[in-house]
């Protein structure tokens, strides 16, 4: 590939790439992608143009020029806000998808890490320019409120993608491209060899995406694989195809402009009567699998896709331990928002809240577990009392499974604060529910709180003491996994005990969150999302381990003739 014939995307983005690498090392706040959905950040007319682009995609075949197909998929995408999207996509059976990706990989694998990083950065730049279009696609496939759909589906997802590119680029350049090896000998001249070291992608990568956060959870694996020289087959959730179809369209356009086969990135949409993810993941030519979704299928992938490096983010029992607080009002506001955000349909939403049965000290006087549950319910009512604000926080219920779990939780007859049905101001057909808070006892209700209740369901669980709460945190996370843990304590000794408990359980910990940062938020370049240290995930977004298994460093070597040694 000649840069005289194709754009030099690496030169265009090299400064950005260096900044991204630096930020992965210092872990401070940084983003190149504005998170504010405004014309001042994205240009005059950008919000209106993005919505118009989204509307133009509805009720038609999605435009993917030159994309291979085995027919057409009429996707089962219905907006949680009450209307069908009506978009159809190219259908691609697993065997053809993998074979096509493998065929397209040759020149992509052979090019340098610099070129690949530049192409990936250009894809991200164009995704950022399309953030409004993507935001509407995310909102109307996931049910996220628009602000969240814009931020998490757009700039924050792009941050995570760039973070993966930075790690991949840095790790591939850890070793020199060439070296002269010179070993002195007791007799005669030295042994001299010239060696080359080339990072080579493992092979076809399959991304199995989720319904709730298709881009935020999908971009790290997509860009880690691309930047390390692997073609990517994207298997979207059948109810959330559109955000990733837009991503594939943009990626293919950039690859073609850079002189590569656009089939390095493929969309493998499936029909409603197909289950293609297992066949894709276990195909003998697939070498990398990224998955976000259920614990059951994640465990199945880890046990069966043995030919591949498998990265999973599954389910867990996110836990809060309440010991004491100097800001009870702030605790309630923060926790209520964490429970309500996107109707609890986040893998990081707290579920189990352990509180000493006989009470804990606050700046407003002691509170028992029962009083805390009532106060939390009051905080939820206050937060969600205004319909417009409630809509902007809750969004819509993404699918019937979430509603079924909410109904099952109601039927437990442990409710301390009931869920309410709300009407979305602009979308009267949307299914909107406020969080339910139930009161449990660890002695009799273990089967309940050791099950994940994904959605707007949380439990206040009365314990014998804070030590008992920490033991339950440790045991449930070790056995069932968690992506987040949180503690509220005004005593340094308790905080230290919580830190040691979290370290041993293998979960990230947030301490005394009472302000504008919430336990279910995760910032790229600073926060790690997930760990490989408990059953909720076997990888972290994003660290070096997330990228190094996607490539190998292969070497070649040759003796250097004596006449060349003289002039070396």
């Amino acid at each position: 590939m000649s840069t005289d014939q194709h754009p030099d995307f690496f030169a265009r983005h090299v400064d950005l790439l260096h900044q991204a690498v630096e930020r992965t090392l210092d872990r401070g706040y940084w983003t190149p992608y504005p998170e504010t959905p405004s014309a001042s950040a994205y240009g005059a007319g950008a919000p209106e143009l993005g919505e118009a682009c989204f509307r133009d995609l509805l009720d038609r075949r999605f435009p993917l020029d030159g994309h291979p197909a085995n027919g057409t998929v009429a996707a089962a995408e219905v907006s949680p806000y009450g209307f069908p999207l009506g978009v159809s996509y190219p259908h691609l059976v697993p065997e053809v998808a993998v074979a096509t990706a493998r065929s397209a990989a040759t020149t992509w694998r052979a090019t340098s890490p610099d070129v690949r990083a530049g192409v990936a950065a250009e894809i991200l730049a164009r995704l950022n320019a399309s953030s409004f279009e993507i935001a509407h696609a995310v909102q109307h496939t996931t049910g996220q409120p628009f602000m969240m759909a814009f931020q998490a589906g757009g700039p924050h997802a792009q941050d995570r993608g760039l973070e993966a590119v930075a790690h991949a680029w840095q790790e591939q350049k850890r070793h020199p491209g060439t070296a002269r090896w010179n070993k002195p000998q007791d007799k005669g001249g030295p042994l001299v060899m010239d060696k080359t070291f080339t990072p080579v992608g493992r092979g076809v990568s399959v991304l199995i995406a989720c319904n709730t956060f298709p881009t935020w959870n999908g971009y790290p694996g997509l860009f880690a694989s691309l930047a390390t020289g692997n073609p990517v087959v994207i298997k979207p959730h059948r109810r959330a195809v559109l955000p990733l179809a837009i991503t594939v369209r943009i990626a293919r356009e950039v690859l073609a402009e850079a002189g590569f086969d656009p089939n390095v990135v493929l969309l493998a949409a499936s029909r409603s009567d197909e289950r293609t993810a297992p066949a894709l993941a276990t195909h003998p030519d697939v070498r990398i699998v990224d998955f976000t979704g259920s614990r059951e299928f994640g465990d199945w992938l880890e046990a069966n896709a043995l030919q591949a490096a498998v990265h999973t983010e599954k389910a867990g029992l996110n836990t809060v331990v309440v010991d004491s607080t100097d800001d009870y009002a702030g605790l309630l506001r923060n926790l209520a928002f964490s429970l309500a955000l996107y109707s609890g349909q986040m893998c990081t939403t707290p579920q189990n809240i352990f509180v000493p049965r006989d009470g804990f000290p606050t700046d407003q006087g002691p509170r028992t577990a029962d009083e805390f549950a009532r106060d939390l319910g009051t905080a939820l009512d206050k937060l969600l009392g205004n319909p417009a604000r409630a809509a902007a926080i809750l969004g819509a219920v993404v699918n019937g499974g979430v509603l079924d779990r909410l109904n099952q939780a109601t039927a437990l007859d442990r409710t301390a604060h009931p869920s309410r049905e709300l009407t979305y101001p602009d979308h009267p057909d949307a299914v909107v529910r406020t969080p339910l808070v139930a009161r449990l006892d660890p002695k009799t209700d273990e089967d309940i709180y050791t099950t994940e209740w994904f959605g707007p369901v949380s439990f206040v669980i009365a314990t014998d003491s804070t030590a008992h709460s920490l033991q339950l945190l440790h045991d449930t996370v070790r056995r069932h996994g968690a992506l987040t843990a949180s503690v509220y304590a005004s005593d340094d000794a308790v905080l230290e005990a919580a830190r040691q408990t979290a370290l041993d359980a293998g979960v990230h910990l947030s301490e005394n969150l009472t302000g504008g940062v919430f336990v279910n938020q995760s910032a790229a370049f600073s926060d790690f999302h997930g760990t490989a240290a408990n059953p909720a995930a076997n990888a972290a977004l994003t660290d070096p381990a997330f990228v190094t298994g996607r490539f190998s460093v292969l070497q070649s070597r040759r003796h250097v003739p004596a006449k060349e040694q003289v002039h070396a």
Side-chain angles (χ1 to χ4, degrees):
M1 187 187 74
S2 168
T3 55
D4 295 334
Q5 298 173 336
H6 303 288
D8 188 345
F9 291 131
F10 178 72
R12 181 180 299 179
H13 297 293
V14 63
D15 290 343
L16 174 71
L17 291 167
H18 280 298
Q19 289 180 68
V21 169
E22 291 171 4
R23 299 291 79 80
T24 65
L25 299 175
D26 67 32
R27 313 306 297 183
Y29 169 77
W30 180 73
T31 177
Y33 308 121
E35 68 175 4
T36 304
S38 67
S40 61
Y42 284 89
E48 296 79 9
L49 178 61
E51 182 173 6
C53 288
F54 165 72
R55 298 290 174 188
D56 286 345
L57 295 173
L58 303 182
D59 300 312
R60 60 181 290 233
R61 182 181 175 90
F62 188 86
L64 276 177
D65 294 341
H67 194 286
N70 306 112
T72 302
V73 173
E77 292 174 298
V78 177
S79 171
Y81 295 94
F83 61 92
L85 302 191
V87 186
S88 61
Y89 304 93
H91 179 245
L92 204 56
V93 299
E95 295 79 7
V96 174
V98 174
T100 304
R102 188 180 181 192
S103 177
T106 304
T107 55
W108 183 246
R109 181 182 61 206
T111 197
S112 71
D114 285 355
V115 171
R116 291 195 294 262
V119 170
E122 178 66 17
I123 294 170
L124 286 162
R126 297 193 195 182
L127 288 170
N128 182 248
S130 299
S131 289
F132 284 96
E133 178 185 10
I134 293 170
H136 287 284
V138 169
Q139 179 184 18
H140 290 293
T141 53
T142 70
Q144 293 177 29
F146 180 77
M147 178 65 81
M148 173 183 259
F150 182 88
Q151 293 181 336
H156 294 174
Q158 296 147 20
D159 283 338
R160 284 296 185 188
L162 181 60
E163 184 181 38
V165 173
H167 280 293
W169 186 52
Q170 182 183 39
E171 292 301 320
Q172 290 174 98
K173 295 170 75 68
R174 181 174 298 279
H175 304 292
T178 61
R180 175 155 288 188
W181 184 81
N182 193 317
K183 180 180 180 180
Q185 300 292 299
D186 292 336
K187 297 181 179 179
L191 292 175
V192 183
M193 303 191 78
D194 278 343
K195 304 184 180 186
T196 64
F197 305 95
T198 306
V200 178
R202 290 194 61 175
V204 177
S205 177
V206 169
L207 168 62
I208 303 171
C210 65
N211 190 176
T212 48
F213 288 88
T215 57
W216 196 95
N217 280 112
Y219 282 6
L222 166 62
F223 284 98
S225 284
L226 278 180
T228 50
N230 304 286
V232 182
V233 177
I234 297 178
K235 166 61 179 74
H237 192 285
R238 61 172 54 93
R239 288 192 292 263
V241 183
L242 188 56
L244 291 173
I246 296 169
T247 302
V248 169
R249 181 193 71 204
I250 291 171
R252 290 171 62 85
E253 290 170 355
V254 174
L255 284 162
E257 287 180 30
F260 296 100
D261 188 335
N263 290 333
V264 165
V265 176
L266 293 166
L267 183 73
S270 59
R271 298 188 174 118
S272 58
D273 60 347
E274 291 180 306
R275 192 164 182 260
T276 58
L280 280 168
T282 57
H283 192 289
D285 289 333
V286 167
R287 292 290 180 262
I288 302 162
V289 175
D290 289 283
F291 168 75
T292 301
S294 71
R295 174 78 174 271
E296 293 77 15
F297 191 53
D299 289 345
W300 186 92
L301 288 170
E302 292 172 7
N304 290 276
L306 300 179
Q307 85 295 346
V310 177
H311 310 89
T312 62
E313 182 197 307
K314 298 171 287 189
L317 307 179
N318 301 319
T319 301
V320 180
V321 169
V322 180
D323 168 81
S324 56
T325 180
D326 296 326
D327 184 3
Y328 190 53
L331 181 161
L332 292 171
R333 284 194 304 269
N334 191 284
L335 189 52
F337 187 87
S338 298
L339 300 185
L341 186 60
Y342 184 30
S343 302
Q345 298 168 125
M346 303 177 68
C347 58
T348 49
T349 300
Q351 175 179 299
N352 295 335
I353 307 169
F354 293 119
V355 181
R357 180 179 290 102
D358 295 331
F360 61 95
T362 82
D363 58 319
Q364 298 182 21
R367 290 293 191 275
T368 66
D370 288 332
E371 290 170 335
F372 172 77
R374 288 195 296 269
D375 291 345
L376 183 57
T378 300
L380 284 165
D381 287 342
K382 184 176 181 179
L383 175 69
L384 303 174
N386 178 281
R389 182 168 66 177
I393 296 171
L394 293 168
V397 172
V398 66
N399 58 51
V402 173
L403 201 59
D404 290 343
R405 282 188 291 274
L406 179 57
N407 292 335
Q408 291 167 17
T410 302
L412 292 172
D413 197 26
R414 307 283 206 286
T415 300
H417 184 79
S419 173
R420 293 184 295 120
E421 182 175 351
L422 300 182
T423 299
Y424 204 103
D426 298 327
H427 301 283
D429 295 328
V431 177
V432 184
R433 299 289 189 274
T434 65
L436 176 146
V437 178
R439 268 280 285 110
L440 301 182
D441 188 290
K443 295 180 176 65
T444 59
D445 297 321
E446 182 177 358
D447 289 346
I448 299 173
Y449 69 80
T450 56
T451 299
E452 188 197 24
W453 296 73
F454 183 78
V457 177
S458 293
F459 305 117
V460 173
I461 304 166
T463 65
D464 297 336
S465 63
T466 295
H468 185 205
S469 297
L470 291 174
Q471 186 63 51
L472 288 172
L473 183 156
H474 177 273
D475 293 348
T476 55
V477 172
R478 291 281 289 181
R479 284 188 290 145
H480 305 285
L483 290 171
T484 65
S486 182
V487 62
Y488 288 92
S490 51
D491 187 303
D492 287 341
V494 175
L495 290 175
E496 180 59 27
R499 291 175 196 136
Q500 294 305 317
T501 299
L503 289 173
D504 195 56
V507 64
H508 303 304
L509 180 69
S510 295
E511 303 173 12
N512 291 328
L513 296 186
T514 56
V517 175
F518 306 93
V519 68
N520 39 2
Q521 294 175 320
S522 175
F525 299 101
S526 185
D527 295 323
F528 293 110
H529 174 76
T531 75
N534 75 67
N538 73 357
L541 304 181
T542 305
D543 64 1
F546 188 69
V547 302
T548 51
R550 297 170 194 264
F551 70 95
S552 299
V553 177
L554 302 182
Q555 73 171 46
S556 62
R557 59 184 183 173
R558 67 177 183 86
H559 284 291
V560 177
K563 61 181 180 180
E564 293 184 24
Q565 296 178 31
V566 173
H567 301 291

